[in-house]
Amino acid sequence: MAGPGVSVRQLLERTRARLAAAGIQEYRLEAELLLQHVLEIDAARMFAGLSDSVPSKAETTLRRAADRRADREPLAYITGRRTFYGREFGVTPDVLIPRPETELLVDLALRWAAGRSGLQIADIGTGSGVLAVTLASEMRDAAIDAVDLSPRALDVARSNARQFGVADRIEFLEGDLAGPLEGRRYQLVIANLPYVRSDTLTRAEAEVRREPVLALLGGQDGLDVIRRFAPMLPDIMDPAGSLALFEVDPLTAGGAAETIAAALPGARVRVELDLARLERCVAAELA
Ligand code: GLN
């Protein structure tokens, strides 16, 4: 339906131009996503209705959203959504935005879990809860304890767990690393802890600097948090058979692997590559 107002096509072009001028690399895709978000339609409907006219209220909302993006606010904080492992999660500025490379941890966990049942899983530093919720969704008989230091992150994670109908199998605990898990043992421990080096963070893109520093910063060599957590592994891993998976910075994967191996005598420790062939995960197995 063509009307008197501005069309979807015109708005799309205007938004693309605005984002391109602001130096947003993926300005085409991001403009499309912003438009879909504001108009509450999917890509297919947007492209099928390029000549449709847009109500002026939506035009104003879109202009504000484009201003925020031009000001380097991450797209996921503007739309409040980010897809991880095929599911669309809610995100807020209280949580790290889920990254595609973190899906490697899910793949490795599922591969190890195949043929095992009734797993007890710990997710340390759950943030938005993407790892806990994805594992609970993919393994219908697993029980998960998800820990985070930030109560506001836990609110986001709880809401994601409810959205995907797995809240009854995830216990959310506020605290530092394995602190709240005393006396409990797990067959699977998964952790995407803060590992960005201070110097890397200072040089990071403006968008990354809008994310919670608590979720990113791993100190001078990036290993501070892993160094604190590794000695807790023997207390929470099942000695009869368990796997711990850490996301790591490819720059310091070797150091992370050494730290974990030293804390867990008898474990088989290996480094796994992500799709970009970067050393992205340290796996430690007790058999
Ligand atoms: N991969 C994230 C980044 O480089 C960091 C995630 C983390 O510290 N766990 O921005």
Side-chain angles (χ1 to χ4, degrees), residues 58-275:
E59 192 186 343
T60 311
T61 311
L62 180 66
R63 190 176 330 109
R64 293 214 183 98
D67 284 346
R68 287 167 67 184
R69 186 64 194 99
D71 191 34
R72 293 288 166 167
E73 189 170 341
L75 183 72
Y77 291 159
I78 300 169
T79 63
R81 320 290 310 164
R82 179 51 52 97
T83 298
F84 181 82
Y85 217 83
R87 295 180 181 82
E88 207 184 66
F89 287 87
V91 296
T92 74
D94 290 313
V95 299
L96 182 84
I97 299 166
R99 310 280 203 267
E101 57 268 28
T102 304
E103 294 180 351
L104 170 67
L105 262 55
V106 177
D107 284 334
L108 294 170
L110 293 180
R111 201 186 305 159
W112 186 82
R116 293 175 159 94
S117 60
L119 294 181
Q120 304 284 325
I121 303 175
D123 175 21
I124 311 296
T126 194
S128 60
V130 288
L131 286 171
V133 171
T134 302
L135 293 179
S137 306
E138 300 286 331
M139 296 183 220
R140 302 310 300 193
D141 64 351
I144 303 180
D145 288 344
V147 183
D148 207 282
L149 202 51
S150 157
R152 286 160 48 140
L154 287 171
D155 286 342
V156 176
R158 270 191 208 99
S159 139
N160 281 319
R162 279 194 299 272
Q163 185 195 328
F164 291 104
V166 294
D168 56 327
R169 284 184 295 113
I170 307 180
E171 186 178 346
F172 291 98
L173 302 119
E174 185 184 333
D176 184 40
L177 303 173
L181 305 180
E182 226 193 303
R184 306 189 195 187
R185 296 256 175 202
Y186 302 90
Q187 288 79 49
L188 192 56
V189 174
I190 198 157
N192 179 13
L193 297 170
Y195 58 67
V196 179
R197 299 189 329 201
S198 329
D199 60 338
T200 310
L201 197 57
T202 339
R203 288 193 313 262
E205 289 170 348
E207 283 85 350
V208 173
R209 285 185 273 111
R210 303 288 272 265
E211 295 185 271
V213 92
L214 180 69
L216 289 166
L217 188 62
Q220 208 168 2
D221 69 353
L223 295 175
D224 280 6
V225 186
I226 288 173
R227 225 179 265 121
R228 276 200 309 115
F229 178 53
M232 304 175 185
L233 284 171
D235 297 329
I236 60 165
M237 286 177 76
D238 182 347
S242 52
L243 177 71
L245 294 170
F246 288 83
E247 183 170 317
V248 296
D249 185 340
L251 291 172
T252 51
E258 273 171 39
T259 306
I260 292 158
L264 207 55
R268 273 199 299 137
V269 178
R270 59 181 198 279
V271 174
E272 300 275 357
L273 307 181
D274 66 15
L275 291 174

